[in-house]
């Protein structure tokens, strides 16, 4: 983990919920440097098993050895979660299994396998649930930037070589790359939909293919250039429920946000109705693309200020304050007890 914000959120989630850790057995899944194991020991864990498959396990041992008052209650176990054996069951799992768009890097499957192998019934998981948020966006600057990347292949005489036969493939290739950067939330043109993943109950095989039906109602007319995505996770502690968000407008993490840019923008129009019985017409459009999360375009830009037209109202589509402070009754009850709403894909 490279973000101080992320580490600070993990530390707060653990220390504020000492009651969940004190005297308990903890397994740190994919422990990396072992920093989360040390946090758990600070919160009073009886014993922590830091499971790490890579060579990072040696660095974890060094870091833990350098903190002997905590390290005496931490055991580093080098090996894969799917293969290692632990001497006892865990009361709580802690991990940082999130990748780009939450699911990339395939660590969630390992987190779920660790749950099934090591966690006692009704044990706790930090984080507890994750949510993927998606909303259409309009960003002419980004679209032009993506399209211009393929202009090189429109040259008909590049040192005597005609490059145009590869232009179509290059154009398609560039637009198959999800864009990783931070953006101004005002580029969103409709409220986001959310897909919830409950780490305490989801089956491993349910993570292999995730189907998220999409349907949006645009708040304003204009060109839609693609789908913006971000995620958040909840640490459902007994004392404090704390969120970690990657939402646009919130403090930027090393995950940034992700945008899938369509090769052909969609035009969203708003029609007015006059008189009794007037009907609203529309034009059906389609634009599609296959995106490869393993080959993103790391744009890494900070949010730009996008001017809002005088006759266009500002729509507060993302309230990061609410995202981070929603109560357990408002959030967990809604997303853990009710299935996500399903609908057909499309834009109204």
């Amino acid at each position: 983990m490279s973000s101080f914000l992320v580490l600070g959120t993990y530390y707060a989630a653990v220390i504020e919920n000492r009651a969940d850790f004190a005297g308990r057995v903890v397994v740190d899944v994919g422990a990396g440097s072992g920093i989360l194991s040390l946090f758990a020991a600070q919160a009073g864990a009886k014993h922590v098993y830091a499971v790490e498959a890579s060579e990072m396990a040696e660095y974890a041992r060094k870091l833990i050895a350098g903190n002997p008052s905590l390290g005496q209650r931490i055991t580093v176990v080098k090996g894969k979660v799917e293969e290692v054996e632990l001497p006892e069951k865990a009361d709580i799992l802690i991990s940082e299994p999130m990748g780009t768009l939450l699911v990339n890097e395939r660590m969630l499957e390992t987190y779920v396998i660790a749950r099934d192998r090591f966690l006692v019934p009704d044990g706790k998981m930090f984080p507890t649930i994750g949510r993927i948020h998606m909303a259409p966006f309009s960003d002419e600057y980004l679209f032009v930037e993506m399209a211009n990347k393929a202009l090189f292949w429109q040259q008909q005489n590049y040192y005597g070589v005609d490059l145009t036969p590869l232009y179509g493939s290059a154009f398609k290739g560039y637009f198959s790359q999800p864009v990783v950067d931070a953006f101004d939330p005002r580029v969103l043109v409709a409220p986001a939909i959310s897909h919830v993943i409950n780490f305490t109950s989801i089956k491993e095989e349910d993570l292999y293919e995730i189907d998220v039906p999409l349907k949006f109602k645009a708040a304003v007319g204009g060109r839609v250039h693609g789908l913006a995505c971000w995620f958040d996770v909840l640490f459902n502690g007994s004392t404090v429920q704390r969120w970690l968000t990657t939402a646009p407008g919130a403090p930027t993490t090393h995950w940034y946000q992700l945008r899938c840019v369509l090769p052909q923008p969609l035009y969203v129009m708003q029609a007015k109705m006059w008189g009794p019985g007037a009907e609203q017409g529309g034009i059906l459009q389609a634009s599609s693309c296959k995106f490869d999360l393993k080959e993103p375009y790391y744009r890494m830009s900070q949010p730009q200020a996008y001017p809002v037209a005088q006759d266009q109202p500002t729509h507060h589509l993302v309230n990061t304050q609410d995202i981070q402070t929603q109560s357990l009754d408002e959030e967990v009850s809604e997303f853990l007890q009710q299935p996500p709403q399903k609908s057909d894909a499309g834009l109204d």
Side-chain angles (χ1 to χ4, degrees), residues 87-332:
E88 55 188 329
K89 290 287 188 179
D91 302 296
I92 183 167
L93 299 185
I94 189 168
S95 183
E96 193 256 275
M98 300 87 74
T100 304
L101 195 57
L102 184 61
V103 297
N104 197 25
E105 298 178 17
R106 315 308 302 184
M107 265 296 292
L108 289 182
E109 288 93 328
T110 300
Y111 192 38
V112 169
I113 291 170
R115 177 201 68 196
D116 294 340
R117 294 199 66 206
F118 305 136
L119 193 63
V120 299
D122 299 322
K124 284 191 169 290
M125 299 178 72
F126 272 42
T128 315
I129 68 170
R131 300 184 305 177
I132 301 172
H133 305 274
M134 289 161 281
F137 72 90
S138 179
D139 189 339
E140 196 73 35
Y141 301 111
L142 176 60
F143 176 77
V144 171
E145 177 184 332
M146 297 291 286
N148 284 345
K149 291 171 68 175
L151 288 180
F152 173 82
W153 298 97
Q154 283 191 324
Q155 299 179 80
Q156 295 180 327
N157 187 8
Y158 182 75
Y159 294 105
V161 178
D162 183 359
L163 301 181
T164 57
L166 291 182
Y167 172 73
S169 298
F171 187 87
K172 181 179 179 181
Y174 288 128
F175 276 91
S176 71
Q177 293 181 291
V179 178
V180 178
D181 70 346
F183 60 83
D184 190 321
R186 288 177 293 179
V187 305
L188 303 178
V189 299
I193 63 99
S194 299
H195 178 77
V196 180
I197 299 177
N198 184 347
F199 304 139
T200 67
S201 60
I202 193 168
K203 297 178 181 178
E204 179 192 352
E205 54 267 27
D206 292 337
L207 293 168
Y208 297 160
E209 183 174 325
I210 300 175
D211 183 20
V212 184
L214 302 176
K215 186 172 184 179
F216 303 99
K217 194 170 186 67
V220 294
R223 299 216 314 171
V224 171
H225 293 102
L227 194 65
C229 310
W230 61 95
F231 70 87
D232 51 31
V233 293
L234 170 68
F235 300 90
N236 185 18
S238 299
T239 306
V240 176
Q241 293 77 45
R242 182 169 286 274
W243 286 93
L244 170 61
T245 182
T246 65
T252 304
T253 71
H254 60 283
W255 290 292
Y256 291 83
Q257 292 99 42
L258 184 144
R259 285 187 284 177
C260 299
V261 187
L262 292 170
Q264 177 61 51
L266 295 172
Y267 290 85
V268 177
M269 295 169 287
Q270 293 181 329
K272 296 183 179 179
M273 297 185 292
W274 290 272
E279 295 183 356
Q280 179 176 336
I283 301 174
L284 183 64
Q285 305 169 71
S287 183
S288 63
C289 190
K290 184 177 180 179
F291 302 100
D292 186 355
L293 281 177
K294 294 189 179 300
E295 295 291 339
Y297 165 38
Y298 288 99
R299 191 168 181 238
M300 300 302 196
S301 64
Q302 292 300 312
Q304 302 179 43
Y306 289 88
V308 179
Q310 293 295 320
D311 59 346
Q312 188 179 85
T314 300
H315 295 270
H316 299 285
L317 301 174
V318 177
N319 188 324
T320 56
Q321 180 72 17
D322 288 346
I323 287 176
Q324 298 178 73
T325 60
Q326 285 172 322
S327 71
L328 182 64
D329 288 340
E330 294 173 329
E331 200 58 46
V332 178

